[in-house]
Amino acid sequence: MKMKQLLSALLAFAVLFSVMTACGNTSTDELSSGEGTASGETAGDDTATYVNRDNVYAYDEEAPSLYEAFSQWFKVGTAMNPSDLVEGTEEFEILVKQYNIFTLENGSKPDAMHPSEDVYNFTQLEQLVEFANEYDKSVRGHTLVWHSQCPDWFFYDDDGNTVSADVLVERLIEHVTTIVSHFKGEVDVWDVVNEVLGDSGGLRDSMWYQIIGDYDGDGDSYDYIEIAFTAAHEADPDARLIINDYSLESSESKAITMYMMVKSMLEEGIPIDGIGLQMHVDYTVDVDTVRSNIEILLKLRNIDPDFVIEITELDMSCFTWSDTSTEVELTDEFVEQFDTKYTELFELFIELAEEGTLDSVVFWGYNDGATWLNSYPVSGRTNHPLLIDSDYKLKSAYWSLIDLAESKS
Ligand code: G3I
């Protein structure tokens, strides 16, 4: 009996000591009850670890999991590279812990997977699929048809002349069929075509558009898109097939153009399951505009009630488009605006998920140290567009989203 009392006293002292130690490392405003529960601590368990949000790394055991926080609404994913898939590394731990849907940043584009007519290279996507199968994750294939990162061999013959529409259609069908068949049942979603709309309205003036044009003579010139979707569906009828583009969330005219084109294709029976909004926004993003443009796209549900949208390449630049500076001062005011915009976007995503129109939100990268926005549109820039910083520490925007998920649960 005496021994039991002694043990209880020792345990109580240990708990008191650990709480005091934690208090000594932090400021009082970080000790709100929300801090503990948001970190994955069991509510009511006063022996659980206190988390100082300023010093949590995305791979830490006490860090929450972004995808688990939002799992009742949608998957949360990231673009990544096969070099991130080395077991035991911090990068690997972050991917496993924080995300449940993945896309290769570059490794499943036409130049990577089909560099010349007789050469297919599936290695990078196979690596991702293997990882996804082992850890119960989903895979997006990005992208089968694009005007960029697409090798010239598609469009030219051995003499350097542009190929005929018949030849390009044959190459297109062979390309799509071979890749989608190879990954049948393994890649859940394909961005079948990427960025097919131009910047000044209408279809992009790509080689695909120029050469194939109105192939069936029915008066519209998006036949290469119809052919690509039809071939992809035949190769894997269960894969979700997406038409992916940028600025749909900010440009009403682009959203309307997309709506009109997809409407016409759906009415012809082309198997398009949804529209991917890349969502490369900046910290001034107007979320009401995002909402109303998405509402335009979702009118396609009048034709196909299962039609969805996906967020496919989310990031939030700390520079507006016209800003050419390379550094930004992360003042409290700036960070608050940045965090608020992310929160407003995720509030919208939750609403859409609750309506059944969105089930996946994918970031274009998982840390500020490796984002395309450090070199585009201004090279040598230090941008901070994501939820995890370049040291892999969780940023306040990350915690804002965790709080949002908790408050909506
Ligand atoms: O692999 C070569 C390397 O060998 C060479 O030394 C180096 C020198 O420039 O280039 C490397 O290739 C680069 C490649 O990324 C891999 O890092 C290319 O130059 C570079 O252009 C390429 O950029 C990619 C860009 O697409 C190409 O358009 C970005 O990483 C990638 O994030 C970006 O992703 C696109 C989406 O697919 C579509 N939506 C927009 C998004 C952002 O631009």
Side-chain angles (χ1 to χ4, degrees), residues 94-113:
I94 293 171
L95 295 188
V96 172
K97 178 167 187 132
Q98 300 292 348
Y99 305 99
N100 60 349
I101 181 164
F102 295 91
T103 187
L104 292 172
E105 186 175 8
N106 287 296
S108 51
K109 292 174 178 174
D111 60 350
M113 283 209 294

Side-chain angles (χ1 to χ4, degrees), residues 169-187:
V169 165
E170 199 182 311
R171 289 178 178 181
L172 173 60
I173 293 173
E174 205 270 340
H175 168 77
V176 170
T177 306
T178 306
I179 295 174
V180 177
S181 308
H182 186 84
F183 290 102
K184 186 176 180 189
E186 307 279 11
V187 168

Side-chain angles (χ1 to χ4, degrees), residues 79 81 104-106 109 111 142-143 146 148-149 191 194-195 244-246 278 280 312-313 315 364 371-373 375-376:
N81 291 287
L104 292 172
E105 186 175 8
N106 287 296
K109 292 174 178 174
D111 60 350
H142 171 83
T143 173
W146 195 16
S148 175
Q149 289 177 284
D191 286 336
N194 190 37
E195 301 175 2
N244 194 46
D245 218 319
Y246 61 84
Q278 295 187 358
H280 295 293
T312 57
E313 306 183 17
D315 47 27
W364 203 247
T371 159
W372 70 294
L373 291 172
S375 52
Y376 186 87

Side-chain angles (χ1 to χ4, degrees), residues 18 82 95 101 130 160 168 170 180 200 223 244 261 269 310-312 336 340 376 403:
S18 68
L95 295 188
I101 181 164
E130 196 185 324
L168 189 55
E170 199 182 311
V180 177
S200 44
D223 292 10
N244 194 46
M261 182 178 71
E310 294 193 356
I311 308 303
T312 57
E336 196 182 326
T340 302
Y376 186 87
D403 287 346

